[in-house]
Amino acid sequence: MAEALLRKVVTVTDELLLELGRPVAVPVRRVAAAAVIHNPWAGGGLVADLGPEVERIAPGLARLLTGRISEALGGVDRIESFGKAAIVGLDGEIEHGGALIHTPFFGNVFRELTEGTSIIVFSDDRLPAGEPLTVPLWHKTAAATRSHYQTCQIRIPDAPRPDEIVVIAAGASGPRPNARIGDRATDPLIRLADLDDLETVT
């Protein structure tokens, strides 16, 4: 990744210890690491082939952000859930953010560095500087594990500028606080016909 593109790196960590005034069963740390970069396609109009810049930039971003998450959580083995996101400045396209996070040059590198196997859940948007973005997370090897469905939020007051992109990787050290809604392995078989006799909430 060309260092000239990178303006700043922001890491946000939260750790919930109490829920409804009581200690949570498993304290969980959630981390979002964000790289604020110059949009390499800014001012270029509709660029048909985004590939060359993706290949040049995305792997370095994945390595950088995974390192920040791993450091904040205490090692790769402490990362149980992951997610990714991009915020594009107002002079860019959503496709610019998608190009940097949805291709193998970012996703495969991030997944391998975190020892994951799941598809990586994501969010993206085009926003002015200072607007928050919610980043979803799920289990890095068992995406259908409901206990690990959660989110973290990141907001950078001065980013993205109109010609910037914020690329985000996120991780969590455990399940959603006090998760207790079961999982697919314990769910009853429910079909629409089974619900016909139940009262409908309108």
Side-chain angles (χ1 to χ4, degrees), residues 23-186:
V24 298
V26 180
V28 174
R29 181 173 293 177
R30 294 175 294 202
V31 177
V36 180
I37 67 167
H38 174 73
N39 183 340
W41 304 287
L46 186 64
V47 178
D49 184 4
L50 305 179
E53 295 292 350
V54 170
E55 187 172 351
R56 182 171 70 93
I57 298 167
L61 288 174
R63 292 187 182 97
L64 170 68
L65 298 176
T66 305
R68 296 300 175 97
I69 295 169
S70 178
E71 181 180 5
L73 292 180
V76 170
D77 59 332
R78 295 279 296 148
I79 302 172
E80 292 190 13
S81 300
F82 58 17
K84 60 185 179 180
I87 310 173
V88 181
L90 296 182
D91 288 348
E93 295 180 72
I94 289 288
E95 191 72 355
H96 296 162
L100 291 176
I101 66 171
H102 294 319
T103 66
F105 293 101
F106 184 91
N108 286 9
V109 175
F110 181 33
R111 184 167 30 249
E112 186 172 338
L113 289 173
T114 56
E115 300 176 356
T117 57
S118 297
I119 293 173
I120 306 167
V121 67
F122 72 93
S123 63
D124 52 34
D125 208 342
R126 179 167 50 200
L127 297 168
E131 288 296 313
L133 185 71
T134 298
V135 186
L137 301 98
W138 62 28
H139 200 286
K140 69 180 184 180
T141 61
T145 304
R146 273 193 213 116
S147 60
H148 285 64
Y149 293 171
Q150 54 191 311
T151 62
C152 62
Q153 190 176 83
I154 188 163
R155 174 185 173 274
I156 304 174
D158 66 341
R161 294 170 179 169
D163 63 349
E164 289 182 332
I165 302 173
V166 180
V167 177
I168 303 157
S173 64
R176 189 175 59 255
N178 298 337
R180 56 192 187 279
I181 61 171
D183 219 324
R184 286 186 170 184
T186 58

